[in-house]
Amino acid sequence: MIETHLPALIALNFLAFSVIIPLFGMWRVQWSQPLAVLGGGISAILSVYGFITYVNDTPLRYFFGAWEPPIGIEFVYDGLSAFVIMVINVIAFIVLIHSGPISVKEFPRKRMAYYSVAMLMMLGFNGMVLTGDLFNLFVFLEIASLSTYALIAIGEKPAPFAAFRYLIIGTAGGTLFLLGVGFLYTVTGTLNIIDMTAMIPEFADNRAVITGTILIVTGIAIKAALFPMHGWLPDSYTFASSSSSALIAPIGTKVAAYVLFRVILYLFGIEWADLVIPLTWIIGVLASIGILYGSIMAIAQNELKRMLAYSSVSQLGYIILGLSLANPYGFIGALLHLLNHAVMKACLFMVAAHIRMKEGHSDISRFNHTYRKKYPWTMFSFSVAAISMVGLPPLAGFFSKWYLALGTIEANSWVFLTVILFSSLLNAVYFFRILEKVYMKDPFADKEIPDDQAQPDEVKPSMLWTTLTFAAALFLIGIFNVAIVAVLLNIFPA
Amino acid sequence: MLDFLYGHYAYWLTIVLVCIGLYGIIFKKNLVKKTIGLTILQISVVLFWVAIGSKWGATVPVYDPDIPVADAANYLNPLPHTLMLTAIVVGVATLGVAFSLLISVYNRYKTLDEEEILNEIQ
Amino acid sequence: MTDLTLIPLYAVLVSLVAVPFILASDKRPNLREFWTILAAVIKFGLVLLLLPSAIQGETIELHLIEIAPGVPLALMADPFGVFFAVIASGLWIFTSFYSIGYMRGAGEKKQTRYFASFAVCLSATIGIAFSANLLTFVIFYEILTLATYPLVIHKENKEAISAGRQYLAYTLTAGLLLVAAAAITYYLTGTMDFQPGGVFGGLDLTAPLMVTVFLLFLGGVGVKAGIMPIHSWLPTAMAAPTPVSALLHAVAVVKSGVFGVVRVVGYVLGTDVMTAFSLHEILMVLAGITIILASLLAFRQDNLKRRLAYSTVGHLSYIVLGAALITPLGMTGGIMHIAAHATMKITLFFCAGAIYVNLHKENISDLNGIAKVMPWTMGAFVIGSMGLAGIPPLNGFVSKWYLAMGSLEGSMVIPVLILVISGLLNVGYFFPIIWRAYFKKGGPELEKHGEASPFMVVPIMVTAVLSILFGLFPNLFFHFFELASDISLSIFNGGTP
């Protein structure tokens, strides 16, 4: 049964658990988190299994109720979706394990609702990745978004306001997407992505198709926080609860980026997407500006989570820049960075959660050298993730940048190459600033902070080893990136 | 020219509504008014879909022995309309989430004016 | 003959393996230092095992794993790599002994971090020496950058931290330029391997492109090689403890830079490409300017270590000049100078450190009369400085001689002039130090001091004696001269010496 129903099982499992959690949670609230971990674990295992089994096969098309398109709806489990599904489910699983102690501390009475909504959000994301139908994409997008708004609203005092602003912008994006889908539908008469792909060559220069494409890309770009549509992101990630930001930051924008891949590279294909307007060039330029803008803004921040949020804007730019190059290296670089950035950002946000938990704040200017004694392993993970973000070998971050750089050279885009390299330096500025504070006595400080009394005071093991897992993963992905790259090369739509 | 304007009136309506919706979202300072703008935006898209599914001189998509099915022009396209049922539901859910967020915002800040809240956050 | 395939890997890893032991022995300094010295000795032994085959011109290659499609993480012990590895690992032994005396004498804190970082640095350096392709080189190059950083900021005072920031800013930028250059090379040639004679042969190249690639490479390796105008991190990095300045900022790190320059000139771009696009002229002009300017700037430094640092900047460009001449003899001289400068400059830095620990003096103007209390140290200092000035029979003379021969071989007179002027300038900036130490009367505070601890003096004497021995017999022990000329010939003949 698993064999044939795998795509549906991966996604619908989350739906089941979003119901199971309230059922048990009303009885015993402390069961919510373990149940969510269980749910996340099942999907993670299934998606890893599916990835290993099906990655080199022809795409698996799953028809719901055995109704074939155009009447029925389908999930498409091909290399790209299998890869992205695996990344987001495994990351979510580990983050859910990590979130236990945070949920007890930050929102003890909302745990049941929190985890139920988190499951719904994962359903939305999984659905977005798997669906083979543009309208269902919209529906899953809205499921994911609505749950995200709810999760972000659980947090500090300004959290509901940040969530509301995200809701306004995000829903507007979703609506533009729907409008765009409407344009495409009027011309092609289908909503199925595979069917539509077959028809695009006939209609690619149709004005309705062009308008629809622009609307779709704009709508998704809002979700992906592509510059200049990133305004909602910093506030949302900063004010949300530490566990929410660790869960949403690595996954949310990635899935939106995946949809851009799906639409531009698969639905249209490069040549048709660029037929009338230089679409990939435009998003490449926007991504480049976003990379630099995000990095510069990150340097200006004093709050760790906000800094990481701006850094996300910048890193998302890499992924989309890789997409815009539309050559194999750019594609590999982008997808590898999708994986790397998810791991790095999860790790970094988890470290931010540790500091918040122990120190009650994550204000960079108040970091000091006692942290290296108090939180040795947390800080080790932070260092690894930070160095990987800067892109130093042999950590994972280097390799995604390496492939992206090869991609820009192949595309003869020297400006983009400069952007990629220069932003690495900007990353170095904002990360080494923190490392310096944590690992060294501040000689400019007014009064000396003694570190003799500082004793190891690490967070709970469940939080620690999950963070360390991500740190170790960065080494492994770096060293064994060829295995991943070989798979990604097969996925590239020729 | 007049034909063009008249013949596409549904689309003109969509454009006007989209503009009104975006105006509300961007320029209104009151959060409830923003929400209303958002709803107008969503509804405009729903109307657009409904419009593309309709045809002149066609009937509802329920099988009628008197009207031959072979000629598709005799029936409306039911798909956009059914899809919009889902979209409306999504819109309602969004509205629900939006209002519950607004209640929470109001409880915390005692105001729904965007600028006042922003001032208080900073 | 035993199978040597895995020896390069072991040589790289041995100091890395020592790191956990060093960290674990945090509370027991003697055990901790034992690990360092053990690792150093084993590393040197492993490198020596590779020497016989290197002298025969053989190359041992080892492919580990594929790290990018078609590009393996690969080590190769070719003659040039072994040459550099012998110098770096051999001098690490002396530096380890010296570090013990210095760190304990100066009462430095966080010695565990110091020794651990040092071990990582040495792994990275040997990794650079044995890199078989550009990507492997880049990886070790960046590891070296990171591992040196804790050593630069070791003192954790304002000076050290700003030095650390400057160091990172320079070296990280350099790393990125190198990545860009490597990526373009890979795109153009489809390979990243180091091949004697270069990989660009037979390609249709344009001048703007090649100049860009060359400048990117130069920016990448030139920072660590201290080529002006991107040298200024080196004097600032003297904020580090002296053994760091001695081994890393006179041997390992900066020599990785010049090693990189020679690799790029001889093994990536190739001499034909260099001359075809006049790239060697760019390099020559930069090197010449650096040699003269750095020597002049050295005069202005009162801080002994900073003066030595500027002297290092100048001497590194000797090597760069040797590569830029594109003549076999010049290349030989440049490669010889890697070894020559290493033994001499490490001696001088060791002396500076011994003076600092023993007498707490950093400035040249305070050195009056110290030769009386530290006769051995100052004796070694004289040997080292005379060697750098190129006075026979010290080893600095041999390399300079070949550099001069090389420029004449290419019918160039200006490089010879530069060498002569720079030799005089060297005498000029070292002589005041010696004069003060021997002929000026010291202050009363010198009386209660004697010679520095034997942990420091013995390494000083050994390196000084080595400087003389290698000057008299360039082929002694390690066949440096034979290796250097073989390497240079293989570069010009495309693989065969």
Side-chain angles (χ1 to χ4, degrees):
Chain A
M1 191 188 90
I2 289 180
E3 302 290 329
T4 47
H5 295 281
L6 185 78
L9 278 176
I10 292 174
L12 295 183
N13 168 52
F14 283 114
L15 184 60
F17 272 89
S18 73
V19 179
I20 294 171
I21 289 172
L23 287 180
F24 282 88
M26 270 188 277
W27 177 40
R28 289 269 193 275
V29 73
Q30 64 272 29
W31 284 23
S32 314
Q33 194 249 345
L35 278 171
V37 170
L38 180 67
I42 293 173
S43 282
I45 291 168
L46 286 177
S47 44
V48 171
Y49 168 78
F51 180 75
I52 294 167
T53 320
Y54 293 111
V55 68
N56 289 322
D57 291 4
T58 47
L60 202 65
R61 296 178 69 174
Y62 180 80
F63 307 120
F64 278 88
W67 290 93
E68 289 191 20
I71 295 166
I73 53 175
E74 65 169 339
F75 272 4
V76 177
Y77 194 72
D78 61 0
L80 182 65
S81 57
F83 176 74
V84 176
I85 278 286
M86 180 180 70
V87 172
I88 65 172
N89 282 346
V90 172
I91 301 262
F93 169 56
I94 298 177
V95 175
L96 283 170
I97 299 174
H98 177 265
S99 68
I102 305 173
S103 65
V104 176
K105 181 161 183 281
E106 292 192 4
F107 43 90
R109 284 179 300 155
K110 294 179 188 156
R111 273 182 284 170
M112 182 264 281
Y114 179 88
Y115 286 107
S116 179
V117 173
M119 291 290 109
L120 273 182
M121 181 184 81
M122 289 310 296
L123 166 74
F125 285 145
N126 278 267
M128 280 170 79
V129 177
L130 285 170
T131 187
D133 171 304
L134 283 177
F135 186 78
N136 277 302
L137 183 54
F138 167 75
V139 175
F140 283 119
L141 177 85
E142 288 297 328
I143 293 176
S145 304
L146 288 174
S147 329
T148 312
Y149 308 144
L151 291 185
I152 287 172
I154 302 176
E156 289 172 41
K157 191 182 174 195
F161 180 61
F164 179 79
R165 292 179 101 190
Y166 180 22
L167 180 143
I168 294 286
I169 301 170
T171 309
T175 310
L176 291 182
F177 176 81
L178 186 61
L179 190 57
V181 173
F183 275 79
L184 290 187
Y185 177 72
T186 52
V187 178
T188 61
T190 178
L191 289 167
N192 187 290
I193 293 176
I194 295 175
D195 290 354
M196 202 182 273
T197 307
M199 286 187 230
I200 285 296
E202 289 177 48
F203 301 112
D205 54 353
N206 182 310
R207 266 181 295 175
V209 171
I210 296 162
T211 318
T213 314
I214 294 171
L215 286 170
I216 288 180
V217 170
T218 314
I220 297 299
I222 289 175
K223 291 285 174 190
L226 176 65
F227 182 88
M229 291 160 274
H230 63 277
W232 55 271
L233 188 142
D235 275 349
S236 307
Y237 286 6
T238 310
F239 296 126
S241 137
S242 303
S243 57
S244 304
S245 33
L247 186 61
I248 299 167
I251 301 177
T253 47
K254 305 295 179 308
V255 176
Y258 158 85
V259 175
L260 276 184
F261 272 84
R262 192 52 98 186
V263 169
I264 292 177
L265 291 184
Y266 287 73
L267 176 57
F268 286 97
I270 300 140
E271 44 179 323
W272 299 117
D274 281 347
L275 186 67
V276 180
I277 44 163
L279 189 63
T280 55
W281 183 80
I282 292 170
I283 63 172
V285 170
L286 290 181
S288 305
I289 299 173
I291 291 174
L292 296 178
Y293 169 85
S295 304
I296 291 168
M297 288 305 284
I299 293 174
Q301 302 308 318
N302 243 337
E303 156 68 47
L304 180 58
K305 278 170 78 178
R306 187 176 285 272
M307 184 195 98
L308 294 177
Y310 274 109
S311 154
S312 281
V313 174
S314 156
Q315 302 289 319
L316 242 296
Y318 283 116
I319 298 174
I320 296 185
L321 181 62
L323 159 72
S324 78
L325 295 172
N327 57 35
Y329 279 126
F331 180 81
I332 298 172
L335 283 186
L336 192 63
H337 201 66
L338 189 146
L339 166 67
N340 291 344
H341 181 242
V343 177
M344 295 186 281
K345 252 315 135 49
C347 187
L348 290 169
F349 269 107
M350 280 150 86
V351 168
H354 294 186
I355 295 172
R356 286 214 161 191
M357 197 157 187
K358 288 290 176 185
E359 298 283 326
H361 68 86
S362 51
D363 182 354
I364 297 169
S365 58
R366 286 157 68 193
F367 285 15
N368 61 53
H369 63 276
T370 55
Y371 288 16
R372 69 179 167 199
K373 280 205 173 153
K374 286 196 272 188
Y375 323 116
W377 293 107
T378 299
M379 282 305 149
F380 169 76
S381 315
F382 183 83
S383 313
V384 172
I387 292 170
S388 177
M389 288 286 281
V390 177
L392 295 183
L395 290 166
F398 169 75
F399 290 97
S400 37
K401 285 188 187 172
W402 169 253
Y403 294 115
L404 285 174
L406 286 177
T408 54
I409 293 168
E410 191 166 332
N412 265 320
S413 319
W414 304 105
V415 178
F416 290 165
L417 177 65
T418 317
V419 167
I420 289 177
L421 297 178
F422 183 62
S423 78
S424 295
L425 279 185
L426 296 176
N427 287 355
V429 172
Y430 61 78
F431 280 116
F432 275 100
R433 180 177 61 143
I434 298 177
L435 293 181
E436 210 175 60
K437 274 201 169 293
V438 169
Y439 282 100
M440 263 182 281
K441 272 199 188 115
D442 187 0
F444 304 96
D446 304 332
K447 60 178 189 335
E448 188 111 328
I449 305 165
D451 61 347
D452 306 332
Q453 287 91 20
Q455 291 299 320
D457 181 27
E458 275 288 6
V459 287
K460 292 211 171 83
S462 71
M463 292 173 79
L464 201 55
W465 71 257
T466 41
T467 315
L468 284 170
T469 307
F470 281 137
L474 289 174
F475 278 104
L476 294 178
I477 296 171
I479 293 168
F480 298 107
N481 74 83
V482 171
I484 302 168
V485 167
V487 171
L488 295 180
L489 260 183
N490 275 338
I491 299 173
F492 184 71
Chain B
M1 184 64 196
L2 209 61
D3 255 8
F4 178 72
L5 289 176
Y6 174 73
H8 296 81
Y9 72 90
Y11 302 133
W12 297 120
L13 181 65
T14 307
I15 290 173
V16 171
L17 285 179
V18 166
C19 291
I20 294 173
L22 286 176
Y23 168 81
I25 290 175
I26 296 168
F27 292 105
K28 286 293 168 193
K29 292 297 165 207
N30 186 303
L31 298 182
V32 177
K33 288 184 181 166
K34 269 188 192 292
T35 318
I36 293 171
L38 188 67
T39 314
I40 294 173
L41 182 66
Q42 287 181 312
I43 293 304
S44 70
V45 176
V46 171
L47 287 178
F48 170 76
W49 275 81
V50 170
I52 63 176
S54 67
K55 296 171 190 167
W56 296 111
T59 182
V60 287
V62 177
Y63 178 60
D64 184 340
D66 296 340
I67 304 169
V69 187
D71 188 0
N74 288 333
Y75 289 99
L76 293 179
N77 182 354
L79 185 67
H81 296 183
T82 44
L83 292 180
M84 280 314 105
L85 287 180
T86 319
I88 290 166
V89 172
V90 168
V92 171
T94 310
L95 208 56
V97 174
F99 280 134
S100 55
L101 289 175
L102 283 185
I103 291 167
S104 181
V105 169
Y106 187 77
N107 285 339
R108 293 178 191 213
Y109 292 98
K110 300 297 170 209
T111 175
L112 285 177
D113 187 285
E114 193 177 27
E115 279 176 2
E116 288 177 25
I117 297 172
L118 282 176
N119 283 338
E120 198 169 326
I121 290 175
Q122 277 138 23
Chain C
M1 185 103 192
T2 47
D3 185 23
L4 294 174
T5 324
L6 286 173
I7 301 292
L9 178 64
Y10 296 150
V12 172
L13 288 183
V14 63
S15 48
L16 212 54
V17 172
V19 172
F21 290 102
I22 293 172
L23 291 177
S25 325
D26 184 26
K27 298 279 185 289
R28 301 169 64 191
N30 288 339
L31 183 64
R32 180 183 66 199
E33 267 73 299
F34 166 74
W35 295 122
T36 298
I37 288 169
L38 185 69
V41 172
I42 296 177
K43 188 182 271 278
F44 188 54
L46 289 171
V47 173
L48 281 189
L49 280 180
L50 297 166
L51 193 59
S53 66
I55 290 169
Q56 287 164 12
E58 288 168 13
T59 299
I60 295 160
E61 287 206 50
L62 172 63
H63 288 205
L64 298 170
I65 54 164
E66 236 187 359
I67 199 144
V71 182
L73 185 68
L75 298 175
M76 75 172 177
D78 71 336
F80 190 31
V82 174
F83 178 82
F84 181 42
V86 167
I87 298 165
S89 62
L91 291 177
W92 188 31
I93 301 180
F94 301 123
T95 313
S96 302
F97 280 108
Y98 181 82
S99 288
I100 298 170
Y102 180 88
M103 297 304 278
R104 294 186 184 180
E108 295 276 357
K109 289 177 179 166
K110 304 218 174 62
Q111 295 190 18
T112 307
R113 179 177 76 185
Y114 169 87
F115 281 105
S117 306
F118 224 118
V120 178
C121 281
L122 259 293
S123 273
T125 308
I126 303 299
I128 288 173
F130 288 154
S131 292
N133 56 44
L134 264 174
L135 197 58
T136 317
F137 184 84
V138 169
I139 289 174
F140 284 115
Y141 200 74
E142 298 279 23
I143 294 176
L144 184 60
T145 298
L146 277 185
T148 321
Y149 176 70
L151 297 172
V152 174
I153 53 117
H154 185 85
K155 289 182 180 161
E156 298 191 12
N157 53 24
K158 286 181 193 176
E159 193 196 355
I161 287 188
S162 59
R165 285 180 189 162
Q166 194 183 1
Y167 176 74
L168 278 184
Y170 274 76
T171 48
L172 287 179
T173 313
L176 290 172
L177 298 180
L178 191 58
V179 167
I184 297 174
T185 306
Y186 182 62
Y187 178 68
L188 290 175
T189 64
T191 178
M192 303 200 70
D193 293 346
F194 290 132
Q195 284 164 17
V199 293
F200 279 87
L203 286 174
D204 191 19
L205 304 166
T206 59
L209 178 69
M210 287 322 288
V211 172
T212 314
V213 173
F214 174 70
L215 289 180
L216 285 173
F217 269 124
L218 193 61
V221 292
V223 162
K224 281 191 179 156
I227 297 171
M228 282 188 183
I230 41 178
H231 67 286
S232 63
W233 64 272
L234 185 59
T236 323
M238 292 300 135
T242 310
V244 175
S245 314
L247 185 61
L248 298 179
H249 296 142
V251 182
V253 172
V254 290
K255 293 284 156 43
S256 306
V258 287
F259 182 80
V261 171
V262 177
R263 276 282 195 231
V264 167
V265 170
Y267 294 78
V268 177
L269 294 174
T271 48
D272 294 342
V273 172
M274 290 293 290
T275 44
F277 298 101
S278 304
L279 302 176
H280 67 298
E281 287 171 14
I282 303 176
L283 196 58
M284 213 184 309
V285 170
L286 285 175
I289 292 172
T290 310
I291 292 174
I292 300 294
L293 263 186
S295 306
L296 289 175
L297 283 171
F299 275 102
R300 293 182 44 198
Q301 311 300 327
D302 189 37
N303 182 305
L304 178 56
K305 278 174 73 183
R306 285 181 71 90
R307 187 172 289 195
L308 292 178
Y310 274 103
S311 160
T312 306
V313 171
H315 278 273
L316 291 172
S317 277
Y318 277 41
I319 304 163
V320 176
L321 182 66
L325 290 173
I326 314 283
T327 56
L329 286 175
M331 190 74 87
T332 312
I335 294 169
M336 280 297 288
H337 204 61
I338 294 181
H341 177 250
T343 53
M344 296 182 293
K345 194 45 81 50
I346 205 169
T347 311
L348 294 182
F349 270 113
F350 280 174
C351 294
I355 295 167
Y356 170 71
V357 170
N358 199 27
L359 305 176
H360 305 289
K361 288 182 193 298
E362 289 182 303
N363 290 339
I364 293 164
S365 46
D366 297 334
L367 297 183
N368 295 351
I370 59 162
K372 275 213 175 80
V373 288
M374 303 178 72
W376 293 101
T377 308
M378 285 317 292
F381 193 92
V382 171
I383 295 173
S385 49
M386 289 304 110
L388 284 179
I391 294 170
L394 292 151
N395 59 353
F397 170 72
V398 183
S399 43
K400 257 189 196 175
W401 175 257
Y402 277 95
L403 282 173
M405 296 290 285
S407 35
L408 293 177
E409 190 182 11
S411 337
M412 289 169 276
V413 184
I414 297 172
V416 184
L417 278 178
I418 289 174
L419 290 172
V420 173
I421 295 171
S422 143
L424 292 174
L425 290 174
N426 270 285
V427 176
Y429 62 72
F430 281 125
F431 183 68
I433 307 172
I434 298 166
W435 187 67
R436 275 179 191 279
Y438 279 94
F439 302 114
K440 280 218 170 184
K441 247 187 112 53
E445 81 280 1
L446 288 177
E447 282 168 12
K448 50 186 182 296
H449 289 287
E451 185 54 275
S453 112
F455 269 117
M456 291 193 264
V457 176
V458 173
I460 291 173
M461 293 319 294
V462 174
T463 50
V465 170
L466 284 178
S467 303
I468 301 177
L469 285 179
F470 288 137
L472 292 172
F473 314 104
N475 266 331
L476 188 75
F477 302 138
F478 308 121
H479 303 267
F480 279 146
F481 177 69
E482 212 181 311
L483 274 176
S485 54
D486 283 357
I487 295 161
S488 135
L489 284 174
S490 81
I491 290 172
F492 284 93
N493 300 341
T496 48

